Amino acid sequence: MTLYLGWRVAILGFASLQLLLLAAVIAVQTPNALANRLLTAFLIVLVGVVTPYTIGFAGAYDAWRWLTFAPLALTLALPPLLFAYTHALVRGRLPPRFGLHLLPPMIQLGYTLTCFALPLDAKWSWYTGSHARFVSPAFELALLVSLGLYAVWSLRLLNRYRRDLAQARSDDDRFATGWLARVIVALVAVLFLYAAFTLWDWLSGGIDFFQETGLYLSLVVIGLYLAIEGWRHTTLRFPVLDGAAADPTAVETPVVPDWIAIATDFDTRLRQAGWATEPDLGLQVLARRLATNTGRLSRAINLGLGVNFSSWINGVRAEAVAAALDTGSRDDLLTLAFDAGFSSKASFNRAFQARYGVAPSRYRRGVSDRDFRPPLPEMRRAVR
């Protein structure tokens, strides 16, 4: 029987080849090695999910019916692998009890292998009968539930990481925004795609092979995006945080210290030494220089200044830029920002706006305005 190499086969086949090549490149990158291996596994599984449709559009199942139930599409492995990738980036390890996360895809694999081993007549009878009526809808429902749960868990993980990172790093926006959020968006996009096509299938009484073309074209587009962006982020080391230093009440002492006085001392020493000009200044490094521990420093910042670590350091940097503007500096704003220790234009604008309530450019124009009144010198309290 003749195979048909139409446009669907060409697009899905070429995209699958690209995904496998990118997976191979990502797998050998040593920074973030665990996360990279998990992303590689996700991409390989995604190619497996797409492959039955690629060969199906070519007519392979008509030519070789024994391919029915070929153990290629482990859809239930996609959500936990993508969640584990995110977890490995921000925590440096697999999620707790990760073996349990892989139990549903292992059940799916065991079921598929069992059905694949059946005699051809029995296999086809099962495929068109009980599998189509009961098992396949059950797996579809399980996938939707899994996608929803892992999207929620990933969002919680990201929110905790953002909170902890703001307590431990002054360049937290380099890591807490962007890529990790887009991974979650991709997970949610897959959820909506599967939900839409599943709902269409259930309401219409069943859609055929070709009507699902849009689903699998969308999946390879999402996969290629994750693969390319994942490859771009293979060398970016996300600070591994356990959250212990971020909790201002983690350690209780019999006598309540004067956190305002302690924080004022830390703040004075930071300014005198000029440490805030270091773009990657972190909680641990600063604690060593101040001859204290991260827990005490974190509590002093939270309870004494009313802000988190990132807001404190970036507030000091914003004050340095404002001081330069007050003295009439004509340097470019971005030059002043980088000299003060900011690592990006976005973080500079955000921190300056939070500290002074106006954009840096507006502040510069106001310096020459006799009616301009800069905000009070007290640092604004950050939302915790």
Side-chain angles (χ1 to χ4, degrees), residues 140-355:
E140 291 171 354
L141 181 59
L143 177 60
L144 294 177
V145 172
S146 178
L147 286 166
L149 287 175
Y150 281 106
V152 172
W153 292 340
S154 298
L155 184 59
R156 289 178 177 175
L157 177 65
L158 177 58
N159 287 336
R160 287 198 301 269
Y161 186 64
R162 281 175 166 161
R163 179 202 65 201
D164 295 346
L165 201 56
Q167 296 282 9
R169 299 282 299 222
S170 61
D171 57 348
D172 54 307
D173 63 315
R174 289 178 55 204
F175 309 97
T177 59
W179 172 229
L180 296 180
R182 293 195 294 272
V183 172
I184 299 174
V185 170
L187 192 60
V188 173
V190 174
L191 169 62
F192 278 106
L193 280 170
Y194 268 107
F197 277 86
T198 300
L199 185 62
W200 181 18
D201 182 48
W202 290 352
L203 293 179
S204 65
I207 57 178
D208 63 31
F209 208 65
F210 291 91
Q211 288 174 309
E212 292 185 307
T213 300
L215 171 62
Y216 290 91
L217 290 177
S218 300
L219 285 179
V220 294
V221 169
I222 293 173
L224 286 170
Y225 172 76
L226 289 174
I228 294 171
E229 286 296 302
W231 171 65
R232 290 182 60 240
H233 287 82
T234 52
T235 58
L236 178 60
R237 287 192 175 277
F238 288 75
V240 176
L241 307 172
D242 59 12
D247 184 1
T249 61
V251 178
E252 297 182 0
T253 55
V255 179
V256 178
D258 185 350
W259 291 117
I260 295 179
I262 295 172
T264 300
D265 175 62
F266 289 158
D267 183 70
T268 301
R269 292 163 64 187
L270 170 84
R271 294 168 186 271
Q272 290 175 345
W275 291 323
T277 59
E278 301 173 19
D280 58 349
L281 183 65
L283 185 73
Q284 291 184 341
V285 171
L286 186 57
R288 284 198 302 271
R289 293 177 181 176
L290 293 171
T292 187
N293 57 63
T294 56
R296 184 177 178 83
L297 177 56
S298 182
R299 288 192 294 279
I301 298 167
N302 279 266
L303 303 179
L305 297 178
V307 296
N308 58 41
F309 181 80
S310 177
S311 297
W312 173 41
I313 301 300
N314 285 319
V316 172
R317 291 167 177 166
E319 290 179 22
V321 174
L325 295 176
D326 290 341
T327 59
S329 173
R330 306 308 302 170
D331 288 344
D332 180 73
L333 282 173
L334 201 55
T335 299
L336 293 174
F338 288 152
D339 289 344
F342 287 103
S343 58
S344 70
K345 180 180 179 180
S347 62
F348 164 54
N349 288 332
R350 188 162 43 246
F352 199 96
Q353 181 78 35
R355 176 64 183 85

Side-chain angles (χ1 to χ4, degrees), residues 107-158:
I107 292 174
Q108 186 180 28
L109 176 61
Y111 169 79
T112 306
L113 286 172
T114 300
C115 294
F116 184 65
L118 293 173
L120 184 57
D121 291 341
K123 178 193 299 188
W124 188 249
S125 176
W126 177 258
Y127 177 75
T128 57
S130 297
H131 173 80
R133 289 194 300 270
F134 305 112
V135 181
S136 181
F139 278 135
E140 291 171 354
L141 181 59
L143 177 60
L144 294 177
V145 172
S146 178
L147 286 166
L149 287 175
Y150 281 106
V152 172
W153 292 340
S154 298
L155 184 59
R156 289 178 177 175
L157 177 65
L158 177 58

